Amino acid sequence: MRLTSFPTRPQRRTGLARWLCSALALGGIALLSGCDLNFWRMDGPQSTIDVAGPVAHDQLEVFYVTCWVTFIIFVLVASVLAYATIKFRARTEADAHAEPPPQGHGNPLIELGLIGASVFALVVIAVPTLKAIWYTHDVPVADKGEAYQVNAISSQWWFRFEYPDEQIKGVGPLVTSNELVIPAGRPVHLNLRSMDVIHSFWVPRLAGKVDMIPNRANFLWLQADEPGYFWGQCAEFCGDSHAVMRFRVIALGPREFNEWLERQMAPARTVPVPQATASNHPKAQFASYRTDWKENEKGWSESFDLNPLESWRAKQFPDKNENPELIAKGRELFQSKTCFSCHVIRGHMVGGSAAYPDLTHVGARTTIAAGLLENTDEQLARWISHPDLVKPGNHMWSEGYVKNNIKLTPDDVAALVAYLHSLK
Ligand code: CUA
């Protein structure tokens, strides 16, 4: 069917208006984001541009190559389009109503040239892509430094990290939760496993994401070049609390890493109660914590964000103002409220399961609730008072509090906070 008239004139006007609007909008975005320096630096804690290790660096190179190739294509296509739009526009009233020119087959030479150029562009992208795929698949051995082994196991909605090379006599491998501590400057081989649904392991500044699939043995390797503190995130939708299934990676120099291992291998720390008051615990001074938390209220402080590695270091050693009576009361409550039936506190009580976070050294972590809240007294009180309001769907609430009818008074919460934070 042949079109008899082209509504050229009104379209030309709106066309021009659209160009103008787009230009203004782009300019506006550039100006607005210019005010926000962070936007241009792109160095947020989960930036894939601000890389800190060889794997992420290699992947970033592929990204840049792809960006440049597509940018050049964009400039070429946009220039030809702009040229054709301006040069062949309808200039007069007669132009506007004229028949379209006869339609030809095209120019074979140009078409062949375009095919050739496309193949060339794809090869330019494919070469570094393939190299990066091989690089990320070859876990470095001996000559580049033997990789350190860690098993990363995901569950709804937290991560367990096992250190198979660090066997604790009569217990098994060293286990931590939600904070993966690794040696800096050494490749780490992560065996990725899932206990339930598909999750994905992602530390943007160190390496691209890899899925954690039930009944499938995936792996990735990464390396942090320098000691540092990195944010991680589950990157595959896995249910209610997927968006808040986070973790942290802490990279340490060799000596600091070994000291950390030594502390972690030890059983839970016990704070002795002074003899005089051992018989009457109620002398404990109860702290009182905020209770008016809103559901999505931020759970960490600016000062923590400023230097998270220093915050981590500060967490490794006992607080000077510990209250032994309160800690003892918390330890009793941990047993009487049946918390120990899920959580392992190695050396303090028998119980617990690998299906739930190990709390033997929970006081030495910077975050709780799978990287969602800073591990301060106040945030821990918030978390154990109302886990359902912090992390929707979490099992501590549905399988623990609700099923076992656990009720905690503010004094119970204060004692449990003191106990858990004594576990350095
Ligand atoms: Cu686990 Cu998303």
Side-chain angles (χ1 to χ4, degrees):
M1 204 179 109
R2 193 170 66 98
L3 287 174
T4 47
S5 82
F6 289 82
T8 329
R9 267 207 303 183
Q11 215 170 47
R12 263 170 67 196
R13 220 175 281 139
T14 51
L16 200 70
R18 206 179 297 160
W19 275 49
L20 217 69
C21 284
S22 312
L24 278 174
L26 277 175
I29 290 170
L31 266 177
L32 278 175
S33 50
C35 306
D36 179 6
L37 275 173
N38 281 326
F39 179 87
W40 290 116
R41 281 206 308 264
M42 292 193 263
D43 65 349
Q46 302 207 134
S47 170
T48 51
I49 309 278
D50 184 18
V51 296
V55 177
H57 187 268
D58 212 53
Q59 289 161 334
L60 181 63
E61 292 286 296
V62 176
F63 174 74
Y64 280 148
V65 168
T66 314
C67 274
W68 276 113
V69 169
T70 46
F71 178 71
I72 292 166
I73 292 173
F74 169 76
V75 169
L76 287 175
V77 172
S79 319
V80 173
L81 180 68
Y83 172 79
T85 310
I86 293 162
K87 171 137 177 136
F88 302 109
R89 70 188 188 278
R91 286 190 175 78
T92 61
E93 191 67 18
D95 280 350
H97 294 288
E99 291 292 319
Q103 301 295 301
H105 160 70
N107 185 328
L109 214 62
I110 292 180
E111 283 181 20
L112 277 174
L114 285 177
I115 292 170
S118 310
V119 170
F120 176 72
L122 287 178
V123 170
V124 169
I125 295 175
V127 170
T129 304
L130 284 171
K131 270 164 88 175
I133 289 174
W134 287 317
Y135 183 67
T136 52
H137 255 258
D138 286 340
V139 183
V141 281
D143 57 334
K144 282 186 277 174
E146 195 102 27
Y148 188 73
Q149 298 284 325
V150 178
N151 303 331
I153 299 137
S154 53
S155 302
Q156 286 172 319
W157 290 274
W158 66 285
F159 292 88
R160 179 166 101 239
F161 299 110
E162 284 178 2
Y163 294 73
D165 295 340
E166 320 299 340
Q167 293 288 334
I168 302 168
K169 234 177 140 190
V171 176
L174 171 67
V175 171
T176 66
S177 313
N178 299 320
E179 293 200 354
L180 167 63
V181 179
I182 56 170
R186 186 172 167 188
V188 178
H189 180 162
L190 285 149
N191 298 299
L192 306 175
R193 305 287 184 269
S194 169
M195 300 278 283
D196 37 44
V197 298
I198 302 178
H199 302 270
S200 179
F201 185 93
W202 191 30
V203 196
R205 294 189 59 207
L206 297 181
K209 55 189 91 161
V210 174
D211 275 2
M212 309 169 97
I213 302 172
N215 299 319
R216 192 188 153 89
N218 275 358
F219 75 94
L220 74 79
W221 78 270
L222 51 75
Q223 177 179 312
D225 289 334
E226 303 283 336
Y229 186 97
F230 307 96
W231 290 43
Q233 163 82 50
C234 173
E236 179 73 42
F237 180 71
C238 55
D240 297 28
S241 275
H242 153 71
V244 293
M245 183 174 171
R246 304 175 189 173
F247 63 102
R248 300 288 188 272
V249 177
I250 295 109
L252 304 174
R255 207 186 60 190
E256 202 178 4
F257 178 71
N258 285 331
E259 286 166 358
W260 173 83
L261 272 183
E262 215 168 287
R263 289 194 300 273
Q264 292 286 311
M265 302 282 281
R269 179 173 163 262
T270 300
V271 181
V273 180
Q275 275 308 313
T277 55
S279 52
N280 50 344
H281 291 324
K283 284 197 83 173
Q285 286 281 311
F286 293 102
S288 63
Y289 296 109
R290 244 186 91 182
T291 49
D292 60 338
W293 292 99
K294 287 180 215 66
E295 222 162 305
N296 288 321
E297 209 172 320
K298 191 177 165 181
W300 62 91
S301 58
E302 305 296 332
S303 61
F304 170 62
D305 274 346
L306 276 178
N307 200 337
L309 188 59
E310 279 314 312
S311 304
W312 181 87
R313 288 185 175 125
K315 284 253 175 267
Q316 299 310 302
F317 302 99
D319 189 354
K320 287 191 190 71
N321 307 315
E322 282 186 324
N323 181 336
E325 289 86 4
L326 197 57
I327 291 170
K329 175 116 178 64
R331 185 168 166 176
E332 274 172 28
L333 280 165
F334 197 86
Q335 203 143 18
S336 62
K337 297 286 178 186
T338 69
C339 313
F340 77 103
S341 60
C342 292
H343 294 289
V344 172
I345 295 185
R346 193 162 26 89
H348 273 198
M349 47 199 95
V350 178
S353 146
Y356 303 99
D358 184 305
L359 301 181
T360 309
H361 297 283
V362 67
R365 292 178 205 148
T366 51
T367 59
I368 44 170
L372 184 60
L373 306 177
E374 187 183 344
N375 193 11
T376 58
D377 288 353
E378 193 154 62
Q379 295 295 343
L380 181 59
R382 172 189 182 185
W383 170 234
I384 57 181
S385 306
H386 266 292
D388 55 324
L389 295 183
V390 174
K391 215 163 126 193
N394 80 83
H395 298 185
M396 179 155 89
W397 180 254
S398 58
E399 302 296 310
Y401 286 48
V402 174
K403 276 199 181 157
N404 301 324
N405 194 26
I406 295 172
K407 299 263 191 308
L408 300 176
T409 66
D411 285 354
D412 293 345
V413 170
L416 283 165
V417 166
Y419 171 55
L420 292 170
H421 277 170
S422 74
L423 302 173
K424 294 291 181 178

